[in-house]
Amino acid sequence: MFISGLVSVFLFFHATGVEAFMVTTKNPNVRAKENEGADLYCTPSADFGADARVEWKFRDMKGSTTYVIFDGKPTTLYEGRVTKFDGMLRFSKVTRKDNGQYQCEVSNKQYVGDVNVNLTVLVPPSVPMCKIPTSVTTGHRVLLSCHDAEGSPSPTYKWYKDKTPLPENPSQFPAFKNYTYKIDPLNGNLEFPSTLVIDTGDYSCEAMNDAGPVQRCQAVRMEVRNINTGGIVAGVIVALLALALLCFGLWYAHRKGYMPKKSESKPKPSVVYQPTSESGDEEDGEFRQKSSFVV
């Protein structure tokens, strides 16, 4: 009897298109300007009952999860700027740190349901930081970078050469068919796999999103020069000639005696003392010193 009743309830919900124990939201993607308010909606189905437990969790852009509402109250990080209403979570003011995904979890003693709401805090881009070399040689791989850490949502990027926008696919445009660069509009990199002389120019980059005006970094000139093979060879020859002249000068000075000679060590004389001869050749009581030099 009990089983047949459950089947009947299931068939009723299925036939009427109503799903049991559901949690829904009327706006899964909320956008709000920084320092302004935002409302996140969460509506549980009536079968959860009036005493259903509602909790809100936040998952930031790096994947870290924290509670916003726990046991019916805002947690310490959100006190003073978050209020929980029936079916809604209200921010009095949002910052760029609030960017991420919010999960509304509803539960009773038997069932659990949830729904996710994405919050995007709108922050205009700032002037991007551009890294552009000023001098490179042909045939080398060169990377130009452009990045803005402030804009939200994350900006996209556009590069310019001599105030002319560079297309993402140069091979599709006759005026750029000889160029070999690659552009990534999402991370802002402009890469030259093998630089050419025609790549010389003034480069700048724009950062843009839908939260505010476009920002551009100051243009920097990049000079691409051919490798000076003749200069390298001439430098090597000059170095070898200088080394040869130095060796010749040392040899000539040594030959003419201008170089100091090593002093030769002379043996020191040694003195040998002999006792008085017993044969009587020496006078009695008289001691004579004899010296000999040993070489």
Side-chain angles (χ1 to χ4, degrees):
M1 204 50 198
F2 175 74
I3 296 177
S4 62
L6 289 177
V7 172
S8 299
V9 172
F10 173 77
L11 292 175
F12 169 78
F13 284 127
H14 183 72
T16 57
V18 177
E19 297 291 342
F21 301 102
M22 294 292 295
V23 182
T24 58
T25 181
K26 66 179 184 180
N27 187 4
N29 296 292
V30 177
R31 295 164 62 88
K33 292 182 179 180
E34 190 172 34
N35 298 320
E36 294 187 2
D39 294 336
L40 281 60
Y41 295 94
C42 171
T43 306
S45 57
D47 43 18
F48 275 102
D51 298 328
R53 182 185 178 94
V54 179
E55 293 178 342
W56 284 87
K57 300 176 184 178
F58 169 59
R59 184 177 183 182
D60 63 20
M61 306 301 290
K62 297 180 179 179
S64 178
T65 302
T66 56
Y67 276 98
V68 180
I69 300 293
F70 183 77
D71 198 20
K73 297 179 295 184
T75 58
T76 304
L77 292 174
Y78 294 91
E79 285 181 344
R81 66 187 190 98
V82 170
T83 306
K84 175 183 173 295
F85 296 97
D86 288 339
M88 184 179 67
L89 180 69
R90 171 164 290 175
F91 283 84
S92 61
K93 183 173 66 174
V94 294
T95 69
R96 63 195 70 188
K97 293 182 178 180
D98 296 321
N99 268 316
Q101 186 181 78
Y102 293 79
Q103 183 184 68
C104 174
E105 184 179 276
V106 183
S107 61
N108 59 18
K109 294 181 180 180
Q110 293 179 303
Y111 300 98
V112 177
D114 60 65
V115 67
N116 294 325
V117 180
N118 297 311
L119 174 62
T120 301
V121 180
L122 303 177
V123 181
S126 60
V127 176
M129 179 181 293
C130 298
K131 294 182 179 179
I132 305 169
T134 57
S135 180
V136 297
T137 54
T138 55
H140 285 75
R141 175 184 176 272
V142 176
L143 181 67
L144 282 63
S145 63
C146 177
H147 180 67
D148 166 43
E150 301 296 326
S152 175
S154 297
T156 56
Y157 303 93
K158 179 183 290 187
W159 279 94
Y160 290 78
K161 178 191 175 187
D162 299 328
K163 299 182 180 181
T164 300
L166 294 176
E168 294 181 21
N169 298 307
S171 60
Q172 298 179 1
F173 297 84
F176 294 90
K177 64 180 181 180
N178 294 325
Y179 288 80
T180 60
Y181 65 80
K182 299 177 182 178
I183 291 180
D184 189 333
L186 299 181
N187 65 19
N189 287 344
L190 170 59
E191 179 185 357
F192 295 88
S194 181
T195 51
L196 304 171
V197 175
I198 61 172
D199 295 325
T200 295
D202 297 330
Y203 288 87
S204 60
C205 170
E206 282 183 348
M208 63 195 78
N209 63 14
D210 57 358
V214 173
Q215 298 288 346
R216 183 187 295 192
C217 68
Q218 185 176 0
V220 175
R221 185 165 186 81
M222 183 178 76
E223 292 284 349
V224 183
R225 298 183 175 88
N226 287 315
I227 299 176
N228 188 2
T229 307
I232 295 174
V233 173
V236 172
I237 293 174
V238 170
L240 292 175
L241 288 174
L243 181 60
L245 287 173
L246 177 62
C247 293
F248 175 78
L250 292 174
W251 173 83
Y252 184 80
H254 184 269
R255 183 178 178 85
K256 292 296 184 179
Y258 299 144
M259 301 292 288
K261 296 182 179 181
K262 294 182 179 179
S263 60
E264 297 180 357
S265 60
K266 297 182 179 180
K268 296 181 179 179
S270 60
V271 179
V272 179
Y273 296 92
Q274 296 181 353
T276 305
S277 175
E278 296 180 357
S279 60
D281 295 335
E282 306 289 343
E283 295 182 7
D284 292 341
E286 188 176 346
F287 176 78
R288 292 186 178 181
Q289 175 178 318
K290 295 182 178 180
S291 62
S292 63
F293 294 88
V294 180
V295 179

